[in-house]
Amino acid sequence: MRINTESSHPSSLPTAALLAVLAMLIWPRTAAALTGAEGQLLNQGFQIFNAQTFNGNGRTCSTCHLPQSDFTISPADLPTLSAHQRQLVFGTNIRGGNAGQAALENPTILNKLLLFNINDEVGGTAAEVGTVQTPVGPFRASMSIAGLALTSSNFLPDFCANDAPPELIENGTDLVKVICSPLPLPFPASAIAFPLTDVFLNNQPPTLGNASPGVDDGTRNIELGWSGDGAIADPDIFGASTSSSNQDCKNAIDEANANISDLTATLRAFSLAAVKTHLTRSLNRVPGVDFRCPKAAELDALAAFQEYLGRRFELALKQGVPTDSDDATHTQNNFASGTQTDPSQPVITFKDATAETGKAIFLDGNAQCNLCHFNAGANDATGLVHAPNVNDPSAPFPERNFTSKQLVDLLRCTDPNGSPSTCLNGSTAIAHGLNAMVAPVIFPQDSGDKVSNGATAVSSPGSDCNAGINSGGNTACISGSGLKAASFNLQSLIEAPRKNSFFHNGAFNTLEGAISFYFSPTGDQIKAFAAPRKGETGAAALAALANTYFSNPADTQNVLNTMGFFLRSLSVVYSLADCERLLNDSIDLIQQHQPTTLQTMLCTNDLKDVTKVIGGAQVSLPPQYSILKAQIPTLQIELQVGETSRSSILLSNVLSRLVGYRHSIATITPDLPQGESPSPLARGD
């Protein structure tokens, strides 16, 4: 039976009602229904997220995670904010505390890049927080908080024969040690070199190397924040003794430490860190004075709301489960022959040639996108593509991208085309990239993960490195204290097309521009690239892709635009499926006489994302995308009418039409039951 996907107006109720009934008959609900109690908890979580200041500076979570902007914020959002909202974003009323003349935010960096100071030191001394003109930083973009269950786990389930979670340790130079045994494991304190195994622990004899250990307590299992270190781990940060003012803070941290593999427990501690860092009245950050500790029930509701946002599944891009048949040579890309993690994982096939071509480019070995963004998500191809040696691992482990310090500096001081290819000293450095954008402010270095890695690294006295301008190609140069070589979480490309800025520092403002970075002279320094791209520049790889798919090695922009359209198409499918899930939840809640305002808002935002993502495409739109974009306003009206009138029939009609539009764009085999499939990648979060 074919579902009509043409436009229908709310006034044509008999037709809409008939379609809705038919849709429910042929589209039976298989996912568990949302209960009234769950709905109330989600509403409570959103109210806290949107309105609760925790007796702080007036900011709320939604100050920097705008619901209407996919829960992020970028420079493009500033003109849409009221004067009061802008004041909160810029944090003009946050006092310096013990530092006296100090400020939390740098207004120039905020205005030009919308990057927030994530320095979270307690005490507010000048050494910790800087001055009005030069806050210490680091400065980072507001992150997406959608699909957390699929983008935050750091488990390697296939690497260990036993059930114990693996311990992963790195020493700041892109080397990883994987140990399968019960946690916790102490990091070696001795300076004596120790052997490192092949990152991927396959059936072949492991590759061994040697490295001197640093001082590290291992990597967290749940990676939240750009560097995975956003959740507070030390309860004594709020004081060694316990009082009524800090009790709730310390309890949340203790619970997270006792459940390091539990997303909810870690997310509660992460929300607490956000309150302490961004909502404080002064840079002293004293509980009971500068803010109040969130209550346990508030943290529960906040976590439930955030976990509710976004997708619940991850689609395979190509049928077939990769094998380890190339372990002996390390020359093939297993994922090119199939990307299912399990034969039952749904596979997506687009119905237009442009998106399918973009998908083929994405999977091509000369692009190497799928290596770190497996199936375009935030999971690298662990166990599928193996490292030729430990000193140049092809992919570290899920959600974590151990780039070199130099590369992260280059994201700061090079232009979008990757020039200059090294972060030069002095005036040359500040004349390029983000430094040029925020001049005369010198954009500070970002050392990534904040976990201590030994003594401060220094270079020659008086150098620009020591002045915090750039590394000048010196990968040992880390300004400030001795932090790890820069390490950042991989971000999901499924949600990326909905954003307005890219990378942890907003270095690019278009999706296609962000893609081009990986083929630039800067991108050539990424260690993760494996064969066939090893030994090949990004420019050569891009020319090869252009020749393969467009018979013209000079047609490189078409490669970027086509791959960008694939990612946009994939994002659209996920947005439609998420809206389907929310409509089903609305129907469940209506039957239980519960409000559906939150679900309607989130579904409306999904549809806004569809319009935005399609509208930004740099290719000629296939007709089904143009039809969908034209129908979005009507769907939004019908969605609002259905919510206001509490009509399951109208909402079911919108649901059936969304399914039809999704089917017009891509085939998912097997299809998703009501837009929500149990994740084949569930990892015990």
Side-chain angles (χ1 to χ4, degrees):
M1 181 180 299
R2 181 177 181 272
I3 297 177
N4 180 18
T5 61
E6 298 304 317
S7 173
S8 62
H9 193 274
S11 61
S12 59
L13 185 56
T15 301
L18 177 60
L19 286 172
V21 172
L22 291 175
M24 286 187 286
L25 288 175
I26 66 172
W27 193 255
R29 174 115 197 204
T30 59
L34 190 69
T35 67
E38 290 169 337
Q40 292 174 5
L41 182 64
L42 294 173
N43 286 329
Q44 179 187 0
F46 177 63
Q47 289 301 315
I48 295 171
F49 188 92
N50 199 49
Q52 181 57 254
T53 65
F54 298 102
N55 295 343
N57 55 43
R59 284 175 166 177
T60 68
C61 300
S62 63
T63 298
C64 308
H65 295 277
L66 301 175
Q68 66 270 28
S69 295
D70 220 43
F71 294 96
T72 63
I73 189 172
S74 71
D77 294 304
L78 284 178
T80 70
L81 302 181
S82 68
H84 177 65
Q85 288 173 318
R86 286 177 60 92
Q87 183 184 43
L88 292 175
V89 167
F90 280 79
T92 55
N93 63 333
I94 300 172
R95 299 187 300 273
N98 293 332
Q101 295 298 313
L104 174 61
E105 308 293 359
N106 183 300
T108 302
I109 292 177
L110 262 176
N111 193 55
K112 296 292 184 65
L113 299 169
L114 229 302
L115 304 182
F116 294 92
N117 184 359
I118 67 160
N119 178 287
D120 61 355
E121 293 293 340
V122 174
T125 67
E128 291 171 337
V129 300
T131 68
V132 173
Q133 299 300 322
T134 57
V136 170
F139 298 91
R140 294 185 188 155
S142 173
M143 289 184 66
S144 171
I145 53 175
L148 289 177
L150 289 171
T151 61
S152 60
S153 177
N154 191 37
F155 278 131
L156 297 180
D158 297 329
F159 285 5
C160 300
N162 55 44
D163 294 330
E167 174 80 350
L168 295 99
I169 307 171
E170 61 88 27
N171 77 334
T173 55
D174 298 320
L175 299 176
V176 178
K177 183 179 183 181
V178 181
I179 307 171
C180 295
S181 64
L183 296 175
L185 286 171
F187 193 87
S190 169
I192 300 174
F194 61 91
L196 297 175
T197 66
D198 182 334
V199 197
F200 297 100
L201 291 184
N202 50 56
N203 295 326
Q204 303 295 324
T207 306
L208 298 178
N210 290 287
S212 298
V215 182
D216 197 338
D217 60 358
T219 301
R220 291 150 297 282
N221 290 112
I222 301 296
E223 303 285 320
L224 289 168
W226 279 105
S227 291
D229 54 8
I232 303 173
D234 181 8
D236 290 341
I237 193 136
F238 296 116
S241 60
T242 301
S243 67
S244 59
S245 296
N246 65 15
Q247 179 74 69
D248 292 317
C249 288
K250 293 170 77 76
N251 287 348
I253 300 169
D254 288 337
E255 182 175 337
N257 289 338
N259 299 277
I260 59 174
S261 62
D262 182 84
L263 174 60
T264 300
T266 307
L267 189 55
R268 293 168 87 256
F270 185 79
S271 298
L272 167 62
V275 172
K276 175 177 73 77
T277 303
H278 303 297
L279 274 58
T280 183
R281 290 174 179 265
S282 85
L283 300 183
N284 293 341
R285 296 189 170 95
V286 178
V289 177
D290 295 310
F291 62 93
R292 72 165 177 83
C293 291
K295 301 293 184 182
E298 291 174 319
L299 293 176
D300 289 341
L302 274 173
F305 166 69
Q306 292 176 80
E307 291 180 61
Y308 186 67
L309 300 175
R311 58 195 168 97
R312 295 295 187 277
F313 58 91
E314 199 156 277
L315 302 170
L317 299 181
K318 192 169 183 180
Q319 186 175 11
V321 179
T323 67
D324 291 336
S325 59
D326 72 329
D327 283 349
T329 61
H330 305 295
T331 58
Q332 300 176 14
N333 290 294
N334 288 327
F335 51 73
S337 61
T339 65
Q340 287 176 289
T341 58
D342 182 272
S344 64
Q345 183 181 12
V347 179
I348 185 169
T349 304
F350 293 95
K351 295 186 176 180
D352 67 280
T354 306
E356 273 294 292
T357 300
K359 184 176 76 172
I361 296 172
F362 184 90
L363 293 173
D364 194 291
N366 271 304
Q368 290 287 8
C369 306
N370 200 61
L371 179 64
C372 296
H373 296 279
F374 195 53
N375 286 321
N379 309 283
D380 68 24
T382 51
L384 309 180
V385 182
H386 296 274
N389 64 75
V390 296
N391 293 314
D392 194 11
S394 57
F397 46 90
E399 288 76 70
R400 208 49 181 267
N401 182 15
F402 282 101
T403 63
S404 69
K405 181 74 184 96
Q406 183 181 17
L407 176 62
V408 175
D409 279 347
L410 285 167
L411 266 172
R412 173 178 54 89
C413 64
T414 64
D415 298 323
N417 63 359
S419 176
S421 59
T422 59
C423 197
L424 304 175
N425 287 330
S427 60
T428 304
I430 62 176
H432 292 271
L434 301 185
N435 280 324
M437 288 184 63
V438 300
V441 173
I442 296 175
F443 195 88
Q445 295 181 344
D446 190 324
S447 300
D449 193 310
K450 295 180 295 183
V451 175
S452 175
N453 190 44
T456 302
V458 296
S459 61
S460 58
S463 70
D464 287 330
C465 170
N466 275 347
I469 295 178
N470 60 77
S471 71
N474 179 2
T475 57
C477 173
I478 303 175
S479 62
S481 60
L483 304 180
K484 285 183 179 180
S487 53
F488 290 89
N489 284 343
L490 296 178
Q491 300 300 297
S492 169
L493 302 185
I494 294 167
E495 286 79 21
R498 308 164 197 170
K499 300 174 63 178
N500 290 312
S501 64
F502 300 86
F503 297 106
H504 70 280
N505 55 13
F508 293 85
N509 56 18
T510 69
L511 173 66
E512 287 75 14
I515 296 172
S516 71
F517 162 78
Y518 292 98
F519 299 96
S520 71
T522 306
D524 288 342
Q525 300 182 56
I526 297 176
K527 287 192 172 187
F529 288 148
R533 191 166 165 181
K534 281 190 182 298
E536 181 181 45
T537 66
L542 195 57
L545 291 168
N547 190 56
T548 298
Y549 295 96
F550 302 106
S551 302
N552 181 359
D555 199 4
T556 55
Q557 190 61 49
N558 207 4
V559 173
L560 302 175
N561 293 345
T562 303
M563 197 192 319
F565 183 69
F566 151 66
L567 292 173
R568 292 176 182 276
S569 301
L570 186 66
S571 181
V572 165
V573 169
Y574 274 98
S575 290
L576 294 176
D578 188 52
C579 200
E580 294 166 28
R581 170 182 70 95
L582 294 163
L583 282 167
N584 273 297
D585 287 349
S586 294
I587 294 169
D588 290 336
L589 292 171
I590 287 174
Q591 293 171 349
Q592 300 173 65
H593 307 289
Q594 297 291 326
T596 60
T597 306
L598 174 61
Q599 286 70 29
T600 300
M601 181 198 75
L602 295 176
C603 188
T604 299
N605 288 347
D606 279 333
L607 296 179
K608 286 172 57 179
D609 284 338
V610 169
T611 300
K612 173 184 174 182
V613 169
I614 293 176
Q618 302 298 303
V619 300
S620 298
L621 285 179
Q624 61 267 49
Y625 296 88
S626 298
I627 292 172
L628 171 59
K629 183 182 176 185
Q631 290 302 309
I632 292 296
T634 300
L635 290 168
Q636 290 174 317
I637 292 172
E638 294 185 7
L639 176 60
Q640 293 292 335
V641 172
E643 194 268 331
T644 303
S645 62
R646 309 283 294 169
S647 172
S648 296
I649 292 176
L650 285 178
L651 295 181
S652 295
N653 180 46
V654 176
L655 170 61
S656 68
R657 294 175 61 202
L658 287 178
V659 173
Y661 287 125
R662 177 165 60 79
H663 286 171
S664 73
I665 292 175
T667 298
I668 297 175
T669 308
D671 202 7
L672 305 175
Q674 303 245 317
E676 181 178 6
S677 173
S679 170
L681 301 180
R683 292 165 288 190
D685 294 347

